[in-house]
Amino acid sequence: MQHYPQRLDRAGQGALLGAIRQIVAEAPLYTPTMPRSGNPMSVLMTNAGPLGWVTDKERGYRYQATHPETGEPWPAIPPMLIALWAELSGYLPPPQACLINYYRGASKMGLHQDKDEEDFSAPVLSVSLGDTGIFRVGGKSRKGPTQKFDLKSGDVFVLGGEDRLAYHGIDRVLPGTSDLLLEGGRFNLTLRRVTKPNC
Ligand code: MD3
Ligand code: FE
C-alpha cells in the first residue's frame, strides 16, 4: 500500500473535478442497490472507461460496459487519470474501469474486499477529491486489526501486492474539511484492471 499525500495540488484537483463533472453530466450518479436485499447503498456511483462496476438486487456485483439507467456506454477515463496510472501503478496495461463514488453527509462504505476483478495482479489506484474521508484498512481476513488513514483531497493511494485483497472501507466523511466542491461531500475515483492479462 502506497500513500501519496497531496499528489494532486489544488489546480490538479480542480482540473480533475472538471473532468468528473463532465462524466457525471453524461453518465449521471445513481443509487446502487445491494445484491439480494435490494437495500440502497449510501454512496452515489457512476463510472468511466470500457467497463464499470455496478450492483443491483437481481444481478449482484459485476462489471458491465453500459450505465444501468441510461443504457449508454460509460464515458472515457480522463487522460490525466490514465497518466497517473502509468506513473504510479507499476502496471503496464491501462486501467479498464474508473469507479466514481460520491459521499454525501452520512454516506459510508462498510468493510469489504474488492474481488469482482479477474486480475488481482494489477493494483487499484484511488484518488480522493473534496471532504476528508476516514479510511479503514485491515488484512485479508475480516477479523484482525485495522489501521485508519485520513483520505484528503488530492491524496492518491495505490493498493497492490499483499494489500490488493485487504479489507477496507470508509467510516465517514468529515463535512466542511475542503472547499473544492461547492456542494460539499467527497468524490473517490478508483482505477482498476478487470480482465486477465492476455499474455
Ligand atoms: C484497499 N472505495 O470503491 S478507496 C471501493 O474511498 C472503495 O470510496 C473507497 O473501497 C472510497 O471499492 C476506498 C481506497 C481503496 C480502494 C481499493 C482498495 C482501498 C483499497 C483495494 C484493496 C485494498
Ligand atoms: Fe473497495
Side-chain angles (χ1 to χ4, degrees), residues 109 112-114 168 192:
M109 190 175 285
H112 66 278
Q113 291 174 295
D114 292 12
H168 60 279
R192 301 136 185 275

Side-chain angles (χ1 to χ4, degrees), residues 29-189:
L29 290 166
Y30 67 96
T31 300
T33 55
M34 299 296 287
R36 293 178 295 279
S37 71
N39 291 335
M41 293 181 71
S42 63
V43 296
L44 301 177
M45 289 184 176
T46 189
N47 289 270
L51 291 171
W53 187 87
V54 300
T55 174
D56 58 33
K57 181 178 177 22
E58 291 75 22
R59 294 173 63 200
Y61 302 155
R62 64 198 186 273
Y63 282 90
Q64 67 179 40
T66 55
H67 190 291
E69 294 183 351
T70 68
E72 295 289 326
W74 305 106
I77 298 175
M80 65 181 288
L81 287 177
I82 305 277
L84 203 60
W85 173 272
E87 186 182 339
L88 300 180
S89 75
Y91 197 87
L92 202 52
Q96 294 173 302
C98 176
L99 173 60
I100 299 170
N101 295 327
Y102 178 65
Y103 294 77
R104 298 165 287 184
S107 296
K108 55 192 167 56
M109 190 175 285
L111 270 192
H112 66 278
Q113 291 174 295
D114 292 12
K115 291 204 302 187
D116 302 314
E117 302 76 24
E118 289 174 12
D119 183 8
F120 299 139
S121 67
V124 174
L125 187 154
S126 146
V127 185
S128 296
L129 292 177
D131 286 337
T132 299
I134 308 296
F135 174 60
R136 185 183 289 277
V137 60
K140 280 189 278 191
S141 145
R142 184 178 285 282
K143 296 184 286 184
T146 58
Q147 277 183 281
K148 282 208 276 185
F149 293 89
D150 284 357
L151 293 188
K152 297 201 171 118
S153 194
D155 285 5
V156 174
F157 256 81
V158 178
L159 292 307
E162 278 288 283
D163 298 321
R164 176 63 181 76
L165 290 173
Y167 275 86
H168 60 279
I170 296 289
D171 290 353
R172 63 200 181 98
V173 170
L174 306 179
T177 44
S178 165
D179 61 7
L180 184 70
L181 308 190
L182 294 174
E183 70 277 41
R186 168 176 185 266
F187 277 110
N188 182 263
L189 321 171

